[in-house]
Amino acid sequence: MVGKDELNPAQRKALSDFADMIAAAWFTAGIISPFFTKPKSAGEIIIFLLTGLLMTWVSLRWSLSLLEDLR
């Protein structure tokens, strides 16, 4: 695996944009989709919400960590 120090600024920005898209996908899947589907139980809704929030947060932190040295 390539470390972030081995990537040039354009590559790091592109990877950061990809991580942002992943965060948006997790937000959609975990937070928005339960409003349009019929979850089987309240527990399933909570699991969707918690998973969506956690994975959105992880993806955004990854994105920000890629950009922290760029100016």
Side-chain angles (χ1 to χ4, degrees):
M1 177 140 209
V2 177
K4 72 177 185 179
D5 295 332
E6 298 174 20
L7 300 172
N8 67 40
Q11 290 171 323
R12 288 173 65 179
K13 175 70 172 114
L15 193 55
S16 174
D17 289 343
F18 179 72
D20 288 341
M21 286 187 263
I22 291 173
W26 274 110
F27 186 81
T28 301
I31 308 300
I32 297 173
S33 69
F35 291 108
F36 298 103
T37 61
K38 291 184 178 182
K40 295 176 185 166
S41 66
E44 192 175 72
I45 293 172
I46 291 171
I47 289 174
F48 283 162
L49 293 174
L50 291 177
T51 303
L53 286 173
L54 176 67
M55 294 307 291
T56 299
W57 181 79
V58 167
S59 299
L60 288 175
R61 291 292 302 159
W62 176 40
S63 174
L64 292 173
S65 74
L66 290 166
L67 296 176
E68 68 187 17
D69 298 338
L70 297 179
R71 296 190 195 258

